[in-house]
Amino acid sequence: MTTYLIKGVSVVGGAPTDLLVRDGVVAETGRGLDAPGATVLDADGLVALPGLVDLHTHLREPGREDAETVETGSRAAALGGYTAVCAMANTSPVADTAGVVEQVWRLGREAGLVDVQPIGAVTVGLAGERLAELGAMADSAARVRIFSDDGHCVADPKLMRRALEYVKAFDGIIAQHAEEPRLTEGAQMHEGEVATRLGLTGWPAVAEEAIIARDVLLTEHVGGRLHVCHVSTAGSVEVLRQAKARGVRVTAEVTPHHLLLTDARAETYDPVYKVNPPLRTATDIAALRAALVEGVIDIVATDHAPHAVEDKECEWAYARPGMLGLETALSIVLEVLGPEWDLIAERMSRTPARIAGLDGHGLDPAAGVPANLTLVDPAARRVIEPADLASRSRNTPYARMTLPGRIVATFLRGEPTVLDGKAVK
Ligand SMILES: [Zn+2]
């Protein structure tokens, strides 16, 4: 195992120091370190962050390997500065048994680029009718702790209650895709002025807010743990604020795209902007940004959703919802928050690692800590070229945009997965 001496790096925005990475851990820190035989990385001007952790990734394997595989998605993640991702359950077959979650977990280990932590389905086949084998998935080699029907809402309140109760036995979490399906039938974009002008069926904010309100009450009632996926409206922020003030065990995520892009993008009729929940208004974006700073929204999660060309380059109405996110997330967050390194580490690494219970992740680089870290060049600006992305898909909404920040290197347990901005394997 190669020893690395990272020279002159700013750890989470602090004064420049050196990091000695040896045998999978940060062995030593301090200025002027010397390590004969070590590979020296000049990190002058770079910022070291704990490796990013994504609580919401779609890797598409098994079933849609034409859109992404565990390996290509893991490589995209490493290039985005991630050392761990949680893989959503809406694969084919659905990850609703111990067998499928173990398969995804094993594929992640074989790829060896990030730690892949499977999320199990809440209901069999994501059909919303009966609970999946939650206990068997928790007891499996994948040790599943988060369950989600993401892509679908667990709409039946009785089923949602039982799921929240069931996973309490192992301190599990139900991650809800909050969308009251009867309020979003045929929906194509955010319900509002732009949808009216374009004549497209709207997805009203209240369809999200009503489910979050219901679920925080259910969670409070049973004493369970709830995580709210991709919060997208100002009203949802208010529901979460009240729930947290009452001490409900609820956490929430926001995606990079919901922090930056508005529903006005639909005017282009380019389906790359079609996503679920849909892009909202500038007022929603302002509320989401404030909530992220304040901590009402706990984390940024990508909802990385690769889609094959035929599912995306077609008429808006037929296109599948979803956008790529892993390789651009940090740049978007930098664009939105500025170089607030401690806040970025909190929202993109420490807190998601804590929610998911991922040992060895979300820890600032310090002596004795597992070397899961990423080096960022905050001064770099780059133009996003879809053809350059490591994801197998091309549906990035940031094509040809110039964004701040570049991932220079990523280390997983002391082994580089990215060096000089390029994937190592
Ligand atoms: Zn979702």
Side-chain angles (χ1 to χ4, degrees):
M1 203 173 195
T2 312
T3 299
Y4 289 89
L5 181 57
I6 303 169
K7 297 288 280 183
V9 75
S10 159
V11 176
V12 197
T17 186
D18 302 343
L19 300 176
L20 182 66
V21 174
R22 188 169 55 206
D23 298 329
V25 299
V26 177
E28 243 187 292
T29 70
R31 298 201 72 156
L33 292 186
D34 191 28
T39 299
V40 176
L41 300 182
D42 175 12
D44 193 27
L46 305 187
V47 174
L49 294 175
L52 306 183
V53 175
D54 191 20
L55 217 65
H56 191 150
T57 305
H58 296 277
L59 292 174
R60 302 297 186 218
E61 188 177 5
R64 285 307 300 263
E65 291 83 354
D66 57 325
E68 197 79 287
T69 65
V70 171
E71 187 188 337
T72 61
S74 293
R75 191 169 295 114
L79 285 161
Y82 288 87
T83 52
V85 302
C86 296
M88 275 297 174
N90 62 339
T91 48
S92 179
V94 170
D96 59 1
T97 63
V100 179
V101 294
E102 282 185 352
Q103 181 191 356
V104 172
W105 176 76
R106 212 168 29 246
L107 288 167
R109 301 244 308 187
E110 281 164 20
L113 294 159
V114 291
D115 283 345
V116 173
Q117 175 58 49
I119 288 176
V122 178
T123 69
V124 175
L126 311 176
E129 284 162 8
R130 55 199 173 88
L131 290 187
E133 302 170 359
L134 309 182
M137 289 189 272
D139 289 342
S140 74
R143 296 178 45 81
V144 175
R145 286 295 175 275
I146 303 179
F147 299 87
S148 182
D149 274 3
D150 183 59
H152 301 270
C153 184
V154 180
D156 179 346
K158 193 168 149 195
L159 210 49
M160 186 62 183
R161 175 191 177 163
R162 283 180 49 216
L164 285 162
E165 279 170 343
Y166 193 97
V167 302
K168 273 176 71 179
F170 40 87
D171 205 27
I173 298 174
I174 304 297
Q176 177 72 292
H177 169 115
E179 173 183 358
E180 169 50 66
R182 280 161 296 182
L183 291 174
T184 61
E185 271 172 40
Q188 293 292 333
M189 64 172 294
H190 171 64
E191 180 182 288
E193 234 178 274
V194 182
T196 306
R197 196 161 61 239
L198 299 181
L200 292 173
T201 306
W203 196 130
V206 70
E208 175 174 303
E209 295 152 7
I211 291 292
I212 300 176
R214 181 200 78 176
D215 286 353
V216 295
L217 292 173
L218 286 173
T219 302
E220 190 169 26
H221 182 64
V222 308
R225 286 180 75 186
L226 173 70
H227 178 74
V228 184
C229 298
H230 42 51
V231 172
S232 70
T233 80
S236 297
V237 169
E238 287 317 304
V239 174
L240 289 165
R241 188 191 308 281
Q242 290 169 23
K244 288 189 162 191
R246 288 202 308 278
V248 181
R249 295 177 81 197
V250 56
T251 53
E253 70 189 34
V254 63
T255 70
H257 48 272
H258 287 113
L259 290 170
L260 189 72
L261 306 173
T262 70
D263 61 341
R265 297 273 169 168
E267 288 168 347
T268 63
Y269 288 105
D270 184 342
V272 80
Y273 300 116
K274 183 172 173 178
V275 64
N276 191 16
L279 300 176
R280 305 285 187 186
T281 67
T283 306
D284 295 304
I285 287 179
L288 294 169
R289 290 181 178 188
L292 185 65
V293 171
E294 209 184 323
V296 172
I297 292 176
D298 303 81
I299 63 169
V300 174
T302 67
D303 194 5
H304 177 81
H307 285 298
V309 169
E310 67 270 22
D311 292 326
K312 220 44 196 171
E313 290 178 15
C314 55
E315 256 184 79
W316 182 283
Y318 301 111
R320 297 216 184 176
M323 302 171 165
L324 299 184
L326 288 168
E327 292 172 79
T328 46
L330 183 69
S331 289
I332 301 299
V333 172
L334 266 174
E335 175 86 13
V336 167
L337 295 181
E340 298 290 336
W341 299 111
D342 190 63
L343 184 63
I344 290 170
E346 194 67 27
R347 300 285 180 258
M348 296 185 80
S349 177
R350 298 176 199 140
T351 308
R354 196 161 57 233
I355 293 170
L358 297 175
D359 293 338
H361 291 276
L363 303 170
D364 289 4
V369 161
N372 297 316
L373 58 97
T374 189
L375 306 182
V376 188
D377 181 355
R381 297 186 68 81
R382 63 186 176 132
V383 180
I384 305 302
E385 288 298 343
D388 296 344
L389 298 174
S391 170
R392 190 160 277 183
S393 292
R394 293 288 167 262
N395 54 309
T396 174
Y398 312 112
R400 283 162 294 284
M401 279 176 69
T402 303
L403 296 175
R406 176 172 162 268
I407 302 297
V408 175
T410 306
F411 288 83
L412 177 66
R413 282 181 284 279
E415 292 278 13
T417 54
V418 173
L419 276 179
D420 290 328
K422 294 183 184 65
V424 171
K425 57 175 180 176

